[in-house]
Amino acid sequence: MKKFLWPTLVCILLTFSCTGKRTNTDQEEPADTVADSSLVVIEDTLEQLITETPMPRAADAYFDDFVFNFAANKRLQFERIIFPLRVTTVDGKTTMTEKSQWQMEHLFMRQGYYTLLFDDDEQMSHMKDTAITEAVVEKIVLKKNKVKNYFFHRVRGAWMMYEIRETSIEENANSSFLSFYKRFTSDSIFQVESINETVQFTGPDPDDDFAVMEGVITPDTWEAFAPQLPGKVLYNIVYGKPEAEGNKKIFLMRGVANGLELELRFKKVGGKWLLTKMTT
């Protein structure tokens, strides 16, 4: 995804990341949250400024550009939803949400980072494919074993959201990896057991801001390199039609308004997922 370039959006995202404010109970909550009314006022004011800023026409070319606008601009979001909106819960109950009932959905914006899952580099290249006309934003709530799917398609050149559907993780195309990832982030012993004999590592050189360093991580040295990973809520974007899960997985985590960048590559060997490469 491309970072959104409006200065006001960067400001509001930084504010959200610091305060931990959430509008949806499924969002990942910080360990201790203290409400501050003055910060809430600032957030609301900045959100209003973004809403009053028109989305560039070119933003519809790439779904990534559009979805950042969609999640930050209230006016645009209401314009780009086909109402009444079909919403189906994980138990199969379907309701039709009218425009007057809709509440602003910020997706991944207020958690300060986003995650993506791909099977390979070819699949990852779909992010920059202007021919894509369908996309699904997946909100994966690991603790509740639930995926909330936001369905979009491009109609006469404009991206529109037309349905929300909840499913279980078992029904997801990435079900095997997600089940593995849930344990990988919550069980330190299992995490070490899921490290390949050698993990190729690439990252910034601490002694030179303009250089990168390369090396190898082994299970016995993993603790010194292990990154902090989200263990409650993930977001993913499916570009085009969902594909059957393969034996490789690329996990990307990027900051929305900062330089956070993490890429983990896994492969499935003998039915077991193993980490083989890490880039920071």
Side-chain angles (χ1 to χ4, degrees):
M1 290 188 190
K2 298 179 181 177
K3 292 186 177 64
F4 203 56
L5 300 180
W6 297 343
T8 51
L9 180 54
V10 175
C11 291
I12 194 170
L13 291 172
L14 289 173
T15 301
F16 288 154
S17 297
C18 293
T19 61
K21 180 185 176 185
R22 301 289 186 268
T23 58
N24 191 311
T25 55
D26 284 340
Q27 289 285 7
E28 190 168 1
E29 294 286 350
D32 49 359
T33 301
V34 180
D36 187 322
S37 59
S38 63
L39 289 176
V40 171
V41 170
I42 292 173
E43 291 174 359
D44 292 341
T45 301
L46 289 173
E47 185 172 305
Q48 181 62 33
L49 289 174
I50 292 174
T51 297
E52 294 172 355
T53 304
M55 183 183 81
R57 292 182 180 180
D60 269 313
Y62 296 100
F63 181 74
D64 288 358
D65 290 345
F66 161 74
V67 77
F68 269 92
N69 282 270
F70 180 86
N73 188 321
K74 185 175 182 179
R75 179 183 298 173
L76 174 72
Q77 186 169 121
F78 275 76
E79 293 173 352
R80 293 302 187 91
I81 298 176
I82 298 175
F83 292 106
L85 179 69
R86 179 184 294 273
V87 179
T88 303
T89 58
V90 72
D91 59 3
K93 181 181 179 181
T94 298
T95 58
M96 303 300 291
T97 301
E98 300 292 341
K99 188 173 184 177
S100 60
Q101 300 172 303
W102 181 255
Q103 294 184 356
M104 177 70 174
E105 174 57 81
H106 292 282
L107 299 174
F108 48 79
M109 288 303 214
R110 289 185 169 178
Q111 67 180 20
Y113 64 89
Y114 62 92
T115 53
L116 293 170
L117 296 172
F118 301 102
D119 285 346
D120 49 41
D121 291 287
E122 180 182 355
Q123 197 177 86
M124 188 159 50
S125 70
H126 293 170
M127 289 191 293
K128 300 185 181 299
D129 187 352
T130 58
I132 294 293
T133 59
E134 296 180 62
V136 182
V137 177
E138 299 177 331
K139 179 179 181 180
I140 304 162
V141 187
L142 296 170
K143 184 177 181 180
K144 296 185 178 181
N145 196 44
K146 182 176 71 174
V147 182
K148 193 171 185 178
N149 304 276
Y150 302 80
F151 291 86
F152 296 82
H153 59 189
R154 192 155 54 179
V155 181
R156 293 186 292 275
W159 284 102
M160 305 289 294
M161 185 171 79
Y162 65 92
E163 183 181 2
I164 296 177
R165 189 188 311 153
E166 291 182 350
T167 59
S168 66
I169 285 181
E170 286 75 17
E171 299 174 80
N172 190 268
N174 292 308
S175 60
S176 171
F177 179 78
L178 290 173
S179 296
F180 157 79
Y181 177 87
K182 182 178 180 180
R183 187 177 175 188
F184 185 81
T185 57
S186 61
D187 186 335
S188 59
I189 295 176
F190 177 76
Q191 188 173 112
V192 174
E193 293 173 347
S194 302
I195 306 301
N196 197 42
E197 290 182 2
T198 58
V199 175
Q200 299 300 314
F201 171 77
T202 303
D205 189 335
D207 299 321
D208 186 345
D209 293 338
F210 302 98
V212 297
M213 59 183 294
E214 298 181 351
V216 173
I217 302 172
T218 56
D220 59 309
T221 61
W222 170 248
E223 186 177 355
F225 294 89
Q228 183 175 354
L229 298 171
K232 296 180 181 178
V233 177
L234 301 179
Y235 279 91
N236 183 43
I237 296 179
V238 179
Y239 302 87
K241 296 287 187 181
E243 300 178 17
E245 186 173 41
N247 291 323
K248 295 181 180 179
K249 196 67 62 183
I250 302 172
F251 174 90
L252 292 180
M253 184 167 73
R254 293 174 176 170
V256 175
N258 55 48
L260 174 65
E261 181 86 18
L262 175 67
E263 178 183 302
L264 301 178
R265 293 190 178 231
F266 298 83
K267 67 177 180 180
K268 203 172 189 180
V269 181
K272 180 180 179 180
W273 287 101
L274 296 175
L275 175 67
T276 61
K277 185 176 181 179
M278 181 169 76
T279 303
T280 61

